[in-house]
């Protein structure tokens, strides 16, 4: 049976159980048990057309209905075994007859629940991947490079935290988008492509809600993902944007992302993800690095600064100013920022190199390498420092 189909059905099946009265933690466990049962039973199910369909529970005919029925039975079995059996006996009598699942789709509410403000960002990400994405605890643990038992505890705590939250309360779209962006930025690890998974979940969210910032995030993800193949060399080393082979960029993803962004911007409800996507689109539109419209990129960073006043945005703006107005203008913009910001030393090194101060640039590249958050970035910055030191002594 297609695992992608199972994962796509997970959130809607889960929301049906919650609507019927199951608490979130118990419902999620029951759905996972139903998925295991589906993997066991469905590979032997006949393909469509091989015989007349007579059973209303035929998983091939109505996969969602089958999963709902099995998950609900799993939930009831667990309920019967619970110490509070007598208080829940009514639910046993109310078991719905097998058949097509109801058309109501509460997937959007499930997104809100998994990104509930009471959860830490790490817990919200894990719960979203488990309940909405349909990933196993093992897959999520491998993706985040933590032991499976640690991830299981994190997910269990998150489920307990949101178990009492009602489904009929409006959620915060901005919080959901931040969680999805956190997933996207994890990239790829283990056997799960988290960037692709984040895009899939954001597409699903965009189908459930008409919101320009959801479209903006989807466009941003597509435009960044389009450059993925060109970001690393065959030896695994990082390739800076200016040095990437643009022929390796995915033009189909760029076209789709730009189209989604243009539609969102036309609604005149600008948000931070739309502004970030606009910057990514300008990079994607440039045939070469030299032809990048840095003046317009600075203008978009100004918009983004007004929307968020985020110091990391100001750091990136300093780079853009350095490209548009010269390295000294970029260094002046950088001087207003806290030097402890992540990647501050790397930006300063780049701007000093462009200004011709190779000694300072080499020192700052080495400093930035020491503070790098990952091995690939550290190696790249170390090579930059070595390159400049070699040039200075030639």
């Amino acid at each position: 049976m297609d695992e992608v189909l199972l994962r796509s059905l997970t959130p809607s099946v889960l929301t049906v159980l919650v609507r019927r009265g199951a608490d979130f933690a118990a419902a999620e466990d029951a759905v996972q048990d139903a998925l295991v049962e589906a993997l066991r039973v469905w590979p032997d199910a006949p393909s469509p057309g091989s015989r007349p369909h007579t059973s209303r529970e035929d998983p091939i005919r109505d996969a969602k209905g089958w999963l709902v029925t099995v998950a609900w039975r799993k939930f009831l079995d667990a309920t019967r075994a619970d110490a509070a059996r007598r208080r829940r006996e009514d639910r046993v009598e109310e078991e719905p007859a097998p058949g097509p699942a109801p058309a109501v789709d509460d997937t959007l509410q499930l997104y809100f629940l998994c990104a509930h403000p009471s959860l830490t960002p790490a817990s919200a990400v894990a719960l979203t991947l488990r309940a909405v994405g349909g990933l196993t605890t093992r897959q999520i643990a491998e993706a985040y490079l933590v032991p499976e038992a640690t991830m299981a505890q994190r997910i269990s705590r998150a489920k307990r935290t949101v178990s009492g939250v009602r489904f009929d309360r409006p959620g915060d779209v901005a919080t959901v988008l931040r969680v999805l962006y956190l997933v996207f930025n994890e990239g790829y690890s283990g056997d799960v492509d988290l960037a692709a998974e984040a895009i899939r979940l954001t597409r699903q969210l965009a189908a459930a809600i008409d919101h320009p910032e959801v479209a903006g995030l989807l466009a941003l993800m597509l435009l960044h993902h389009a450059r993925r193949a060109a970001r690393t060399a065959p030896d695994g080393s990082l390739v800076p944007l200016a040095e990437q082979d643009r022929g390796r960029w995915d033009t189909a993803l760029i076209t789709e992302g730009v189209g989604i962004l243009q539609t969102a911007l036309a609604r005149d409800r600008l948000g931070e993800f739309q502004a970030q996507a606009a910057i990514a689109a300008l990079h994607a539109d440039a045939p070469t690095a030299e032809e990048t419209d840095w003046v317009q990129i600075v203008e978009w960073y100004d918009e983004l600064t007004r929307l968020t006043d985020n110091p990391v945005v100001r750091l990136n703006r300093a780079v853009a100013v350095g490209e548009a107005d010269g390295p000294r203008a970029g260094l002046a913009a950088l001087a207003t920022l806290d030097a402890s910001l992540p990647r501050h030393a790397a930006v300063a090194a780049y701007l000093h190199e462009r200004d011709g101060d190779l000694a300072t640039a080499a020192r700052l590249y080495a400093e930035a390498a020491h503070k790098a958050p990952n091995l690939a970035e550290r190696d790249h910055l170390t090579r930059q420092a070595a390159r400049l030191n070699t040039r200075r002594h030639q």
Side-chain angles (χ1 to χ4, degrees):
M1 176 49 60
D2 185 358
E3 184 181 344
V4 174
L5 171 63
L6 285 177
R7 286 168 53 193
S8 69
L9 292 173
T10 296
S12 57
V13 174
L14 177 54
T15 54
V16 169
L17 266 65
V18 174
R19 278 291 184 190
R20 288 180 179 177
D23 68 86
F24 180 83
E28 205 276 332
D29 288 340
V31 171
Q32 292 297 322
D33 288 343
L35 294 176
V36 171
E37 185 72 6
L39 289 171
R40 185 183 69 83
V41 173
W42 287 8
D44 299 325
S47 59
S50 62
R51 63 171 174 79
H53 294 290
T54 57
S55 170
R56 288 188 299 171
E57 288 188 69
D58 188 340
I60 301 298
R61 169 178 285 186
D62 182 17
K64 178 181 175 182
W66 188 92
L67 285 170
V68 168
T69 299
V70 174
W72 184 249
R73 288 176 179 170
K74 296 287 186 183
F75 166 71
L76 292 177
D77 288 344
T79 300
R80 292 188 186 101
D82 192 88
R85 173 181 177 179
R86 285 174 296 180
R87 289 185 287 119
R88 302 179 180 178
E89 203 57 46
D90 288 344
R91 284 196 182 121
V92 177
E93 304 301 325
E94 296 171 2
E95 178 180 349
V104 175
D105 187 356
D106 288 320
T107 298
L108 179 59
Q109 290 300 324
L110 187 58
Y111 274 92
F112 291 144
L113 189 65
C114 293
H116 195 269
S118 61
L119 296 173
T120 65
S123 294
V125 165
L127 193 58
T128 297
L129 289 172
R130 173 72 183 256
V132 183
L135 299 182
T136 66
T137 302
R138 178 188 60 78
Q139 288 174 316
I140 302 170
E142 288 183 354
Y144 282 90
L145 305 177
V146 300
E148 184 173 351
T150 300
M151 185 57 68
Q153 290 174 353
R154 184 180 301 173
I155 292 173
S156 180
R157 286 195 299 268
K159 288 194 293 185
R160 288 197 301 270
T161 299
V162 301
S163 283
V165 177
R166 294 175 57 185
F167 242 32
D168 56 356
R169 295 179 180 175
D172 180 16
V173 175
T175 302
V176 174
L177 296 183
R178 283 193 290 273
V179 168
L180 291 174
Y181 198 39
L182 283 173
V183 176
F184 179 79
N185 283 329
E186 285 298 324
Y188 177 85
S189 185
D191 64 352
V192 177
D193 186 336
L194 289 176
E197 181 65 16
I199 290 173
R200 184 183 74 84
L201 295 177
T202 306
R203 285 189 190 279
Q204 188 171 277
L205 180 61
I209 183 173
D210 182 19
H211 194 292
E213 271 294 82
V214 176
L217 177 59
L218 179 56
L220 176 63
M221 288 178 174
L222 293 173
L223 290 164
H224 279 316
H225 205 56
R227 304 200 302 259
R228 179 173 182 167
R231 283 200 191 103
T232 54
D235 63 359
S237 60
L238 292 180
V239 180
L241 176 60
E243 300 172 20
Q244 289 176 13
D245 178 1
R246 299 184 180 221
R248 299 184 66 196
W249 289 2
D250 189 327
T251 55
L253 287 182
I254 291 173
T255 300
E256 182 186 5
V258 169
I260 292 171
L261 174 63
Q262 289 175 337
T263 301
L265 291 176
R267 299 177 65 175
D268 198 24
R269 290 169 55 194
L270 184 63
E272 61 177 293
F273 289 115
Q274 294 169 74
Q276 288 187 58
I279 293 168
L282 286 167
H283 283 297
D285 187 54
T288 65
E290 293 73 23
E291 295 174 87
T292 302
D293 189 345
W294 287 106
V295 172
Q296 194 172 168
I297 287 176
V298 171
E299 292 173 355
W300 275 111
Y301 271 122
D302 289 341
E303 290 284 354
L304 192 53
T305 299
R306 282 191 285 271
L307 288 166
T308 68
D309 197 26
N310 186 311
V312 175
V313 170
R314 292 183 179 274
L315 184 69
N316 292 331
R317 179 185 177 277
V319 177
V321 169
E323 298 289 356
D325 301 327
R328 294 195 177 182
L331 287 168
L334 188 65
T336 66
L337 302 176
D338 186 346
S340 66
L341 277 173
R343 297 184 173 86
H344 184 284
V347 170
Y350 174 75
L351 292 172
H352 277 291
E353 179 185 357
R354 288 203 60 226
D355 194 39
D357 187 351
L358 302 189
T360 300
R363 176 179 58 78
L364 287 169
Y365 274 130
E367 178 185 328
H370 180 69
K371 299 177 180 177
N374 56 66
L375 181 61
E377 193 169 329
R378 186 185 72 189
D379 288 348
H380 170 72
L381 292 167
T382 300
R383 283 193 296 271
Q384 296 296 90
R387 175 180 58 81
L388 292 188
N389 283 326
T390 299
R391 282 179 56 188
R392 289 173 55 216
H393 295 100
Q394 283 179 342

